[in-house]
Amino acid sequence: MISFLKHRNAVPRNVVPLGPLENSVMEILWTRGECNVHDVVEILDRPLAYTTVMTTLDRLFKKALLNRRKDERAFIYSPRLSRQEWEEKRAGDLLAGFLAGPKHSGEVLISCLVEAVGQHDEALLDELERKIRLKREELDRRRQP
């Protein structure tokens, strides 16, 4: 989460979840690094109109998820955030939404998180426990004069 905090100003605070086409386009850009509209049209796994892809890229640019630069008559697009930074942003927004609600929402969030992680991956549950322990130690050090 630390790496995301460095880039927090690069992305609007409350990013709306991406639609399926937007996700596909972002995956292409994360893999390729830079593309123009024609490149994305060629790589997509389904036939779409050039103008549809152009509009999608423009929408992602306006959402501050892409950078773009002019190259002759075409724009070249590149991701503003890495895939990991984007995932951290999405997870952080989800958690912040739950924690901003009533106290019960936070308890539900924690219960669901522990249950889901425990069913999915025991090693990840151990990692969660380790991170909680480290955070508690950090908070204890801050409290000590």
Side-chain angles (χ1 to χ4, degrees):
M1 194 83 161
I2 301 293
S3 64
F4 160 70
L5 294 175
K6 293 178 188 173
H7 299 282
R8 182 169 229 144
N9 293 332
V11 176
R13 288 185 186 263
N14 295 316
V15 174
V16 178
L18 300 180
L21 179 55
E22 290 174 322
N23 272 319
S24 296
V25 168
M26 289 303 298
E27 287 298 330
I28 289 168
L29 289 165
W30 282 320
T31 301
R32 295 280 303 267
E34 281 191 341
C35 290
N36 61 29
V37 178
H38 179 74
D39 296 333
V40 175
V41 169
E42 291 293 314
I43 297 168
L44 278 169
D45 58 355
R46 57 188 166 152
L48 288 172
Y50 182 93
T51 54
T52 300
V53 175
M54 181 175 65
T55 301
T56 302
L57 285 161
D58 186 59
R59 193 169 50 240
L60 290 167
F61 171 75
K62 288 177 179 172
K63 288 181 178 182
L65 295 174
L66 297 179
N67 294 314
R68 75 178 175 195
R69 63 180 171 79
K70 192 84 163 164
D71 184 37
E72 296 186 17
R73 294 183 345 167
F75 282 117
I76 305 294
Y77 293 89
S78 60
R80 188 169 278 191
L81 299 174
S82 70
R83 181 184 286 117
Q84 180 177 344
E85 289 166 335
W86 171 247
E87 289 172 358
E88 288 173 359
K89 170 69 177 146
R90 286 180 31 213
D93 286 353
L94 177 68
L95 291 172
F98 268 96
L99 296 174
K103 183 179 182 208
H104 179 70
S105 295
E107 293 169 4
V108 169
L109 173 69
I110 291 168
S111 295
C112 290
L113 177 66
V114 170
E115 183 65 27
V117 169
Q119 288 179 359
H120 179 71
D121 186 345
E122 192 173 329
L124 191 56
L125 190 60
D126 292 339
E127 180 65 11
L128 177 61
E129 188 174 24
R130 184 185 75 77
K131 287 188 183 238
I132 290 170
R133 189 173 47 255
L134 289 172
K135 181 52 82 173
R136 285 190 185 281
E137 291 169 4
E138 176 188 328
L139 292 172
D140 287 345
R141 282 192 302 274
R142 286 185 194 168
R143 288 188 201 117
Q144 295 174 357

